[in-house]
Amino acid sequence: MPLRALLFDVGETLWHAPAPPPPQEFRRLAAERAGPVLAALGVDAIDTDRITRVAWDAIDPAMRKARHGDLKEPDYVAAVQDALRTIDVELPRNGVEVLLETIYVSGAEAGKIAYPGAREVLDTLKARGFLLATATNRAFGGRRFRCDLAECGLDIGWDAHAVSIEVGYLKPHPAVFEHALRELAVAPEQALMVGNSLKEDVAGAQPLGIATAWRRSRPDAEGVTPDYTFDELHELLDIPGLEAAGD
Ligand SMILES: [Mg+2]
């Protein structure tokens, strides 16, 4: 069946952070922004630095547990709420949501830049008639993710987004890929998944019948063989079947 669509992983596939700000700068920015938010929530925040750190540090273990467990996106808000209780800070769910949104430093501010040629390759694929979607594991989705893409020059007019936190599951769970296919209204055999993770991108998409192109990086799985391997994004344009979108 001719290819009609491409699904793109984002981190280390379309963008990366070759020179991110040091962790203390992330923490400083986060604490600075959290101050007014915590005050508005009625928290007597003497140590905003500590509160933001506890909140932030609750996210990673929750994500790691999910990645090694049932691949269900965790309830980050509840995880942060629980962590804050350990330092006697009690916030309602919507308060935690606002706090997390505030302390999440992302996009260009986090040092993210698109890989060379990313925009041109995506534009060319679009011009060739392909439907394009993201398929990405992210703890933050919504407007923020779309803005981060725009900041990196990757606001190409995506046909769909499959973001784990919005779908409810993390790659390699099939739900993420199925969401993208459904949104694009294409069959698995009409799609090519492009990503840098053998475990999440390649091994996730293959069982559904989706072809895969792996951006060569440190292998994170054994016994997984992608259909295509590339080093630079422009090589995608030479993959057989990507000359023009099929009907
Ligand atoms: Mg990636």
Side-chain angles (χ1 to χ4, degrees):
M1 207 179 260
L3 291 171
R4 288 193 57 213
L6 290 94
L7 317 183
F8 278 92
D9 167 56
V10 177
E12 319 309 322
T13 296
L14 292 177
W15 75 28
H16 64 153
Q24 61 268 31
E25 176 59 10
F26 274 97
R27 279 206 296 274
R28 191 195 62 76
L29 271 173
E32 184 181 288
R33 289 170 191 174
V37 171
L38 289 166
L41 289 167
V43 176
D44 184 15
I46 301 160
D47 193 352
T48 51
D49 188 52
R50 182 163 178 237
I51 292 174
T52 47
R53 207 163 49 233
V54 167
W56 195 248
D57 287 351
I59 291 179
D60 232 30
M63 186 189 288
R64 262 200 308 276
K65 198 168 154 224
R67 284 191 174 186
H68 294 106
D70 58 7
L71 296 175
K72 237 186 166 145
E73 272 286 15
D75 184 346
Y76 292 110
V77 173
V80 170
Q81 236 175 352
D82 288 346
L84 289 176
R85 278 192 194 112
T86 66
I87 56 165
D88 296 322
V89 174
E90 184 67 42
L91 285 179
R93 274 191 74 90
N94 57 1
V96 173
E97 279 165 17
V98 174
L99 178 66
L100 284 180
E101 192 57 40
T102 307
I103 66 176
Y104 174 50
V105 177
S106 66
E109 205 169 38
K112 295 260 174 25
I113 55 167
Y115 280 107
R119 175 69 192 232
E120 292 73 15
V121 169
L122 294 170
D123 283 342
T124 303
L125 290 166
K126 229 175 150 48
R128 290 182 183 181
F130 289 97
L131 298 168
L132 303 180
T134 61
T136 178
N137 282 350
R138 321 207 69 79
F140 292 81
R143 210 178 65 84
R144 179 67 81 90
F145 170 56
R146 278 77 175 165
C147 288
D148 289 348
L149 283 173
E151 274 182 19
C152 290
L154 297 173
D155 48 343
I156 52 144
W158 293 92
D159 298 291
H161 290 294
V163 184
S164 61
I165 191 72
E166 296 169 14
V167 176
Y169 289 90
L170 290 150
K171 293 180 296 183
H173 196 285
V176 180
F177 306 97
E178 284 164 351
H179 179 88
L181 296 176
R182 200 165 45 243
E183 290 283 307
L184 298 174
V186 298
E189 297 77 17
Q190 295 175 307
L192 176 73
M193 173 69 204
V194 182
N196 71 304
S197 168
L198 288 173
K199 183 179 172 208
E200 294 175 355
D201 301 318
V202 177
Q206 278 182 336
L208 298 173
I210 300 173
T212 55
W214 179 51
R215 180 178 194 128
R216 200 191 312 274
S217 17
R218 187 202 299 258
D220 57 359
E222 282 175 24
V224 180
T225 311
D227 299 285
Y228 307 98
T229 299
F230 65 96
D231 293 296
E232 300 298 333
L233 285 166
H234 67 82
E235 295 168 43
L236 286 175
L237 300 176
D238 300 324
I239 286 179
L242 290 186
E243 301 86 2
D247 292 327

